[in-house]
């Protein structure tokens, strides 16, 4: 496991003003990273990921059996920061029946005809399950803050600060409602540098097996890097709460971001202190009877 004191540095303190420059995109740039060096970091990250995966599979079984909580994992990032790979690697050992992934794209006309939280509400994980939002209602204060013309009918052409404040407030209230009703909410911003994004785009353009990952829109959105960064800083500052904190995960090295996300999810589910349901006396008697019957009767 990664030491708590390091993980604490990744949490956005509720009420604080986020300046993304103060959060590393590469763990090797941190004082701790410099001490341990690249080889150790890679080895340790792979161990943590492996260990966390095993523990996550167990924690998920317990979540399902106890049937008292659900877990909502929110992943947000700039393009090519590694959201899909993180989901694939972190959830690799988990029973697919206990886990649902939803990837949110541009909203449909029907979705735009409802309140902005509607499509996400319909996809929330039921009790006992882990739900992963690959993009989420945060897009509704990120991509549309950069492109207000995509807000859809009924929205202002030039939204005021108050408009966004109200959306942050709606999101905080929504998350509070979920948390009060037994949902553990874990939010991750995969923090990638502009240089690393360029490297990954070039890889997508060069390697034929990765061509499909590149979209024409990717370069256009990269032009708005600064506007996205501001929108992220505003959203992270306004919506990190005690019950639904944001984690800013250094994402320039995939092995690091995967290990950190896996560790936080596992540790947080374990922190719920769940227990397998107790079997009643009555049920124990019934089980003993069934066993005796099965053992005593010769099968035809
Ligand atoms: P990808 O995840 O690469 O398949 O891209 C999905 C695209 O959908 C991204 O460009 C997102 O910005 C966009 N998208 C997701 N949610 C929204 C939203 N609520 N409004 C507008 N665009 C969105
Ligand atoms: Mg994309």
């Amino acid at each position: 496991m990664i030491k708590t004191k390091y993980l604490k540095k990744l949490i956005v303190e509720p009420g604080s003003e986020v300046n993304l420059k103060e959060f590393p995109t590469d763990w090797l740039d941190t004082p701790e990273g410099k001490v341990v060096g690249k080889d150790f970091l890679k080895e340790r990250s792979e161990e943590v990921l492996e260990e966390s995966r095993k523990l996550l599979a167990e924690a998920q079984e317990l979540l399902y059996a106890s049937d008292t909580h659900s877990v909502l994992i929110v992943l947000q990032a700039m393009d090519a920061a590694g959201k899909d790979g993180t989901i694939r690697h972190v959830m690799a050992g988990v029973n697919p029946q206990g886990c649902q992934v939803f990837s949110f794209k541009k909203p449909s006309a029907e979705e735009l005809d409802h309140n902005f939280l509607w499509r996400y509400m319909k996809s929330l994980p039921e009790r006992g399950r882990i739900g992963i939002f690959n993009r989420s209602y945060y897009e509704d204060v990120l991509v549309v803050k950069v492109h207000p013309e995509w807000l859809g009918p009924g929205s202002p052409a030039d939204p005021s600060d108050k408009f966004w404040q109200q959306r942050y407030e709606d999101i905080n209230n929504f998350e509070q409602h979920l948390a009060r009703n037994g949902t553990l909410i874990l939010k991750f911003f995969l923090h990638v540098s502009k240089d690393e994004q360029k490297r990954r785009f070039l890889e997508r353009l060069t390697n034929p097996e990765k061509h499909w990952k590149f979209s024409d829109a990717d370069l256009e959105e990269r032009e708005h890097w600064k506007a996205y960064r501001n929108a992220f800083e505003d959203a992270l500052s306004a919506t990190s709460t005690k019950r639904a904190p944001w984690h800013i995960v250094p994402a320039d090295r995939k092995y690091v971001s995967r290990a950190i996300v896996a560790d936080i999810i596992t540790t947080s589910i374990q922190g719920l202190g769940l227990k397998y349901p107790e079997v009643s006396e009555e049920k124990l008697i019934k089980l003993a009877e069934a066993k005796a019957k099965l053992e005593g009767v010769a099968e035809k």
Side-chain angles (χ1 to χ4, degrees), residues 79 83 104-107 119-120 134-136 139-140 143-144 150 218 228:
D79 292 313
K83 296 193 302 304
F104 294 99
K105 314 278 179 194
K106 283 203 162 75
R119 67 169 178 161
Y120 310 100
N134 181 352
R135 302 186 190 269
S136 65
E139 290 295 332
D140 298 81
V143 64
V144 290
W150 296 347
D218 286 346
Y228 273 106

Side-chain angles (χ1 to χ4, degrees), residues 96 133 220:
F133 281 5
E220 281 165 41

Side-chain angles (χ1 to χ4, degrees), residues 16 19 38 52 56 86 113 128 165 182 186 215 253 277 288:
S16 69
N19 176 357
K38 188 177 162 200
S52 297
L56 184 58
T86 300
D113 271 342
Q165 288 306 329
L186 298 167
S215 130
R253 288 170 201 277

Side-chain angles (χ1 to χ4, degrees), residues 45 48 57 70-71 110-112 114 131 140 180 189-190 208 214 233 239 256-257 260-261 273 275 286:
S45 299
V48 168
S70 52
V71 179
E110 188 196 15
E111 287 168 343
L112 284 176
H114 288 82
D140 298 81
R180 280 178 176 161
F189 170 59
L190 301 187
F214 190 81
E233 285 181 341
T239 61
V256 171
S257 45
I260 290 175
V261 171
K275 293 196 171 60
K286 286 231 162 78

Side-chain angles (χ1 to χ4, degrees), residues 64-239:
Y64 193 79
S66 60
D67 204 22
T68 55
H69 289 73
S70 52
V71 179
L72 175 64
I73 297 167
V74 171
L75 281 175
Q76 287 291 158
M78 294 297 284
D79 292 313
K83 296 193 302 304
D84 300 271
T86 300
I87 295 170
R88 202 170 57 244
H89 281 82
V90 173
M91 305 312 288
V94 170
N95 179 352
Q97 292 198 82
C99 172
Q100 299 147 310
V101 183
F102 293 92
S103 298
F104 294 99
K105 314 278 179 194
K106 283 203 162 75
S108 67
E110 188 196 15
E111 287 168 343
L112 284 176
D113 271 342
H114 288 82
N115 68 74
F116 82 96
L117 292 172
W118 182 72
R119 67 169 178 161
Y120 310 100
M121 283 180 188
K122 291 196 301 178
S123 304
L124 289 169
E126 59 207 81
R127 239 188 294 284
R129 302 266 172 109
I130 300 176
I132 301 175
F133 281 5
N134 181 352
R135 302 186 190 269
S136 65
Y137 41 89
Y138 283 97
E139 290 295 332
D140 298 81
V141 291
L142 293 165
V143 64
V144 290
K145 200 169 183 198
V146 178
H147 300 282
E149 66 279 15
W150 296 347
L151 272 167
S155 299
D158 184 16
S160 61
D161 284 351
K162 189 169 162 212
F163 176 88
W164 300 114
Q165 288 306 329
Q166 285 176 344
R167 284 205 166 189
Y168 302 139
E169 210 178 291
D170 287 344
I171 288 175
N172 286 338
N173 290 337
F174 176 56
E175 290 181 343
Q176 186 180 52
H177 169 70
L178 297 181
R180 280 178 176 161
N181 285 272
T183 304
L184 170 68
I185 306 167
L186 298 167
K187 303 185 292 195
F188 299 97
F189 170 59
L190 301 187
H191 187 22
V192 77
S193 66
K194 201 174 177 190
D195 280 350
E196 180 60 20
Q197 190 197 52
K198 180 177 172 182
R199 217 192 50 74
R200 292 185 191 175
F201 280 167
L202 282 173
E203 165 75 7
R204 291 178 181 186
L205 291 166
T206 313
N207 181 347
E209 280 176 17
K210 295 202 172 170
H211 284 353
W212 65 273
K213 281 192 176 185
F214 190 81
S215 130
D216 293 341
D218 286 346
L219 277 197
E220 281 165 41
E221 294 316 298
R222 183 175 161 85
E223 304 273 310
H224 300 290
W225 184 271
K226 187 78 193 113
Y228 273 106
R229 221 177 144 92
N230 289 340
F232 268 113
E233 285 181 341
D234 291 346
L236 294 166
S237 307
T239 61

